[in-house]
Amino acid sequence: MSNVGKSTNILWHNCPIGQSERQKLLGQKGCVIWITGLSGSGKSTLACALSRELHCSGHLSYVLDGDNLRHGLNRDLSFKAEDRAENIRRVGEVAKLFADAGTICIASLISPYRRDRDACRALLPESRFIEVFMDFPLEICEARDPKGLYKLARTGKIKGFTGIDDPYESPVNSEIVIKMVDGECPSPKAMAKHVLCYLEENGYLQD
Amino acid sequence: MSNVGKSTNILWHNCPIGQSERQKLLGQKGCVIWITGLSGSGKSTLACALSRELHCSGHLSYVLDGDNLRHGLNRDLSFKAEDRAENIRRVGEVAKLFADAGTICIASLISPYRRDRDACRALLPESRFIEVFMDFPLEICEARDPKGLYKLARTGKIKGFTGIDDPYESPVNSEIVIKMVDGECPSPKAMAKHVLCYLEENGYLQD
């Protein structure tokens, strides 16, 4: 019996079926693939393409999309600083549950601050958190502007927009960096293959 | 682009791989089995036994245990009324994600108020939320008192304890009711088989 956070008298229940049993069933290792980068850097595109590649090779993955979660679990959170941190914390905690379930969990969030990303990494055992940095210049992302948000930020209609009037702290030790090759942006499929190769080479796609 | 809850300018991203593809991969239908009942009514015991039975028949399930989640996602929540409601809301939202992932998600929480349980039910499409009511008399649960909590509640060391000085609103239309048979409590395996039969008969264990 213990006190944790704001809860008193709570007990940890262990089940006989744990992560290792579920991994055997699925033939893969549960992990979190955390895709970080500016708005318009292709996070959702990579998440979907990777999910498709994994599915085609018989692997179970699940995408946690920052925007989508704001329709449900995180609908009580705004974009002010403390709510953004709480948003990322919750996604990290849910991603951890999905990894524990044996799933390859693909989290796709701007997650601009190193501190928040590292807090999510620290939730998981070593090697279960794979950071993917979408390393594209602001100009490229802003030129794409798929949601028209940069335009709104430049005209002051959105405040605190990452890359414009709020910082993006680039990762320094990401497991995977996706960037331009010979001045060209890689295709969705090429980006997905890049991550897939990492997963294969590091034994995630077998139990 | 839409405003949802406290978030502005968020867009729903659809992936080509959705619930139906994941269900085909897993050979089952994603759903939420919501186990409700008094402390000591056997919710965790049923959750674990069911998880084992499902695993043995090749099905992927994942247990969301109310107490366990208070170590992580819900560590910022206390046991005061509004926090208990938020605790249940978040578990409902996460359970929905697991069902969307194709998993048979087993949520085990006292969840004493009908309003909170029904709000979770309303998050999911019809037939994807299966309520299991652990219908055992207070005297039986209190006599078991596996965590010694009833003793603390009776001596006033815990306030607002469900069944003692806080109400438990029994479900009226649960899909499954687990209760005494001829004055005897069913075994964990018997309870699990009861739920398993329901899942089989209603087509959840095939895609």
Side-chain angles (χ1 to χ4, degrees):
Chain A
M1 204 68 62
S2 63
N3 297 341
V4 183
K6 292 193 183 164
S7 299
T8 50
N9 298 305
I10 56 175
L11 188 72
W12 185 271
H13 296 280
N14 263 322
C15 267
I17 304 300
Q19 190 192 37
S20 65
E21 285 74 22
R22 289 184 286 268
Q23 291 184 156
K24 277 199 190 77
L25 182 70
L26 294 171
Q28 62 188 38
K29 291 197 176 66
C31 60
V32 174
I33 299 173
W34 191 277
I35 308 177
T36 172
L38 294 169
S39 181
S41 62
K43 299 182 296 302
S44 299
T45 303
L46 169 54
C48 286
L50 178 58
S51 163
R52 184 202 290 263
E53 292 292 327
L54 283 167
H55 185 80
C56 291
S57 62
H59 293 286
L60 181 69
S61 65
Y62 191 65
V63 175
L64 294 178
D65 179 284
D67 275 5
N68 289 5
L69 288 179
R70 283 181 179 275
H71 288 80
L73 178 65
N74 295 339
R75 62 181 303 131
D76 55 322
L77 302 176
S78 74
F79 281 98
K80 69 182 181 199
E82 70 215 55
D83 279 5
R84 286 184 82 152
E86 172 65 7
N87 181 50
I88 292 169
R89 184 192 76 82
R90 289 191 202 164
V91 177
E93 291 282 4
V94 173
K96 178 187 178 176
L97 296 175
F98 272 97
D100 186 47
T103 305
I104 296 170
C105 181
I106 306 167
S108 160
L109 293 93
I110 297 176
S111 46
Y113 303 126
R114 208 168 288 138
R115 186 190 53 230
D116 296 331
R117 295 191 301 264
D118 287 348
C120 291
R121 180 187 288 275
L123 293 174
L124 285 125
E126 180 90 30
S127 89
R128 295 292 177 149
F129 186 93
I130 302 157
E131 194 174 60
V132 180
F133 173 31
M134 305 299 284
D135 187 11
F136 297 102
L138 176 64
E139 306 77 62
I140 297 269
C141 302
E142 188 168 358
R144 288 176 181 165
D145 205 8
K147 308 178 198 168
L149 295 177
Y150 284 101
K151 196 165 284 176
L152 293 173
R154 288 288 185 197
T155 55
K157 287 179 188 138
I158 302 179
K159 301 285 182 200
F161 194 73
T162 300
I164 305 298
D165 55 350
D166 211 61
Y168 178 81
E169 299 174 359
S170 295
V172 284
N173 284 309
S174 285
E175 280 76 6
I176 300 171
V177 179
I178 306 280
K179 55 185 170 186
M180 320 264 289
V181 180
D182 302 327
E184 300 271 343
C185 293
S187 70
K189 187 155 189 154
M191 298 193 294
K193 291 279 187 192
H194 186 149
V195 180
L196 206 65
C197 282
Y198 180 92
L199 295 177
E200 267 170 1
E201 284 168 7
N202 290 278
Y204 291 94
L205 302 187
Q206 59 198 53
D207 166 53
Chain B
M1 204 69 61
S2 63
N3 297 341
V4 183
K6 294 193 181 163
S7 298
T8 50
N9 298 305
I10 56 175
L11 189 72
W12 184 270
H13 296 282
N14 264 322
C15 266
I17 305 298
Q19 190 192 37
S20 64
E21 285 74 22
R22 289 184 288 268
Q23 291 183 155
K24 276 199 191 75
L25 183 69
L26 293 170
Q28 62 188 37
K29 290 198 177 69
C31 60
V32 174
I33 298 172
W34 190 278
I35 308 177
T36 172
L38 293 169
S39 180
S41 61
K43 298 182 298 298
S44 299
T45 302
L46 169 55
C48 285
L50 178 59
S51 164
R52 183 203 289 262
E53 293 293 325
L54 284 166
H55 185 80
C56 289
S57 61
H59 293 286
L60 182 69
S61 65
Y62 191 65
V63 174
L64 294 178
D65 179 285
D67 275 6
N68 289 5
L69 288 178
R70 283 183 178 274
H71 288 80
L73 177 66
N74 295 339
R75 63 181 304 130
D76 55 321
L77 302 176
S78 73
F79 280 98
K80 68 183 181 196
E82 71 215 56
D83 280 6
R84 287 184 82 154
E86 172 64 6
N87 180 51
I88 293 169
R89 185 192 74 83
R90 288 191 202 163
V91 176
E93 290 283 4
V94 173
K96 178 186 179 175
L97 296 174
F98 271 96
D100 186 46
T103 304
I104 296 171
C105 181
I106 306 168
S108 160
L109 293 93
I110 297 177
S111 47
Y113 303 127
R114 208 168 288 137
R115 185 189 56 229
D116 296 331
R117 293 190 304 263
D118 287 348
C120 291
R121 180 187 289 273
L123 292 174
L124 285 124
E126 179 91 28
S127 89
R128 296 290 177 149
F129 186 92
I130 301 157
E131 194 174 61
V132 180
F133 173 30
M134 305 300 283
D135 186 12
F136 297 102
L138 175 65
E139 306 77 61
I140 297 272
C141 301
E142 188 169 357
R144 288 177 181 162
D145 205 8
K147 308 179 196 166
L149 295 177
Y150 284 102
K151 197 166 285 177
L152 293 172
R154 287 287 185 195
T155 55
K157 286 176 188 139
I158 304 178
K159 302 284 182 200
F161 193 75
T162 300
I164 305 299
D165 55 349
D166 213 60
Y168 178 81
E169 298 175 357
S170 296
V172 282
N173 285 310
S174 287
E175 279 75 6
I176 299 171
V177 179
I178 306 279
K179 55 185 170 185
M180 320 265 287
V181 181
D182 301 329
E184 300 270 339
C185 293
S187 69
K189 189 156 188 152
M191 298 192 296
K193 290 280 186 191
H194 187 150
V195 180
L196 205 64
C197 282
Y198 180 92
L199 295 177
E200 267 170 2
E201 284 169 8
N202 290 278
Y204 292 94
L205 302 187
Q206 61 199 53
D207 165 52

